[in-house]
Each structure stands twice: as structure tokens, then as C-alpha cells.
Amino acid sequence: MQAFVMKELGEVGFAEKDKPDVGPNDARLRPTKGLVCTSDVHTVHGAIGERENLTLGHEMVGIVDAVGTEVEDFEAGDRVVVGAITPDWGSAAAQDGHSSQSNQALGGWKFANVKDGVFAEYVHVNEGDANLAHIPESVTDEEAAYVTDMMSTGFMGAENADIPVGGSVAVFAQGPVGLMATKGAALQGAGRIIAVETEPNRQELAREYGADDIVDFAEGDPVEQIMDLTDDEGVDSAIEALGRTETFEQCVKVTKPGGTISNVGYHGEGEYVNIPREEWGVGMAEKTINTGLCPGGRLRLQRLLRLLETERVDPTLMTSHEFPFEKTDEAFRLMETKEDDIIKPLINFE
Ligand code: ZN
């Protein structure tokens, strides 16, 4: 079968691979739609170290091709979604309520990390009953592809931000995860959402997803702008959806004493992420910092699919480009350069 791979650090291309085998609890899928993620780009540029001929991608929906003998709730032909994160549900971390960290830090992240990813003609899924979900009839494959990571991660950003109903929140960066954090904050009843972004198309989408104010960091210090907007009070919660130490520091600075900073950004560079000492109340301002990796699992996927079924959110507004599977390299290049106002490129497998 054909797979789109990271050949080595900095190099991508197509490779011929064997169709994956299916263990007793596993499933094998035939992808129909996928989405390229900025973290695929980070991976190719060394964020997780060297890899050779590793199939890329972790956002995909498809049709079940085969299941193991112990899989009960899925069979060949079912239309399903699989989470970007596929935890080991029997691990101690999962039993402790931290399924994304199974067996080691970030251990639930398997696709395009510790095993081949989803940009291939066939894909292996561990623990099929726990990591797959059926797609409701009224939900399209394209919509469902967004629950795998963008909705799960972005909404987690809002959930971890402990936004009081009617409270204020600042969301730093309106890439696809930040946009879904904005939407998540709106769904959770935030009274005021301040989105930090400079790209006009992303600002427009942020408003579409519920932002009340846009802070353009190209027009001045975002901390000052947010303090001005809030009469120097700051916000109840801040969400970091970029993965830079400066934006993390800004989140701590704009959050009120007692507020919450929720990190969803992928901090792939530098040795440290800094906490500004004074605005942290010299360690005593009761500001909580929450972190998380995209939650996976069937229950999570089903809840997100319900939001699509009831039309509470339209994630397809983020689909800015489409490519056939054979042109995944072009989609990848655009994600790398962020040219042509790209937000999310959809991959059509058939
Ligand atoms: Zn992703």
C-alpha cells in the first residue's frame, strides 16, 4: 500500500508499505478523509527526534476494513472516526484518569509518533472498541475528521480553562486549535471572549466562532491591549494555543489573581517555558496552570460527534484547501509555509 511518510528529518514523500496486521483487540481502517496538522510539520522538523520512513498524519475518518477476534462493537464496513490520541485503556495512567499519558508522558499519542500514522491506504488502530466511534448518519466524513484532534484539543483548552459562566477569557492565537478553543469557550458560556490574532481570515473566523473582541498583536503589546479592554482587571482565564514562551508569559500576565491559564500549545522549541514572577504574584496569586494533550477514546469522540449532530458547531469553516491523497505532499508544504491563507487542508482518499 502507499503511505505518505517522513523519510528522515526534514524530508517527506510517498513510500510502499505492507498492509498492517490486526491483533485480537485491534481494527484496520481504510481512510476516506484526513486533515494535515501543524504538528505533522513539527514532527518532520525534529520535534520528536529522528524517525525513518514513519507514516505521517493523525487526523482521519474511514471505513472499517477488518477487526480482531475480540472486537465487539465494530465490523467491516462501519463508518468510523478514530481519535488522534489512542490510549492504552488498561494503563495505570488511564486508570488514574489521565488516559492521554498512558504508559509514559504523552503515551496515548501513537499515530506518527511511536507507530505509523494515518496518511496511508490502510491504518492500524489499537483497542478498537475503546478508540473508535461510529459516525452518526447526519454527520459528514469531513465534519467528523475535525473531532479527532481540532475539536478535542481546542475544546479541552476551554474545559481546562475553568471559565466561569459569564466570565472573560483571552485565547492566544487563532489557528485551528485556537479557533476551536474560542468556540469551546462560547459553548461553555463565557461572557466575553478576546481572541489574539493578526491574520484577517483568522480574525474573521474567530468572530464567527464567538469572539467578541480581536486583539491584533501586530498593532501593539497584546497584554496592554487586553488590560485596556478589561479596565486593567485582566481576564478570568487565558488559553495558550500557539506554543511559544512569550505567549505563555502573556497568558499569565493577563489572568486575574485566582484565574486559570490553560495551555494547549505545543512547546517544541527552547529549553524553558518561563513564568513571569511579578504577575504570578511572586508565586502566590492563586493562578492555576493547567496542561493537557488531546483527549481520545470513544466516549470523548461520541460527545464531540453529538455537537456536530445537533449543529452546535461547524468546523468545516476551517477547511481552506482540498487535495487528493496523491497530493498530500502539496498540502504538507502549504502547512509548512502557511502560504495562501491556509488554515486546514482536507485530504480526500477516494
Ligand atoms: Zn493534529
Side-chain angles (χ1 to χ4, degrees), residues 222-243:
V223 174
E224 276 174 29
Q225 294 187 62
I226 291 168
M227 295 315 279
D228 281 350
L229 281 171
T230 58
D231 295 327
D232 282 328
E233 274 186 17
V235 288
D236 293 301
S237 309
I239 302 173
E240 207 286 353
L242 189 66

Side-chain angles (χ1 to χ4, degrees), residues 252-291:
V252 177
K253 288 179 181 176
V254 300
T255 302
K256 287 180 199 175
T260 303
I261 297 103
S262 167
N263 185 83
V264 284
Y266 178 90
H267 292 269
E269 280 175 22
E271 197 171 351
Y272 296 102
V273 175
N274 299 319
I275 298 173
R277 188 181 58 84
E278 274 182 40
E279 291 87 348
W280 192 40
V282 295
M284 297 171 190
E286 298 178 21
K287 296 190 183 186
T288 302
I289 296 170
N290 287 325
T291 74

Side-chain angles (χ1 to χ4, degrees), residues 37 39 58-59 149-150 344:
C37 185
S39 46
H58 53 266
E59 301 179 17
D149 186 0
M150 296 301 96
K344 278 303 250 190

Side-chain angles (χ1 to χ4, degrees), residues 22-43:
V22 183
N25 295 301
D26 307 341
R28 185 171 60 215
L29 310 186
R30 214 161 27 77
T32 54
K33 302 275 182 195
L35 293 159
V36 182
C37 185
T38 302
S39 46
D40 294 312
V41 176
H42 292 150
T43 295

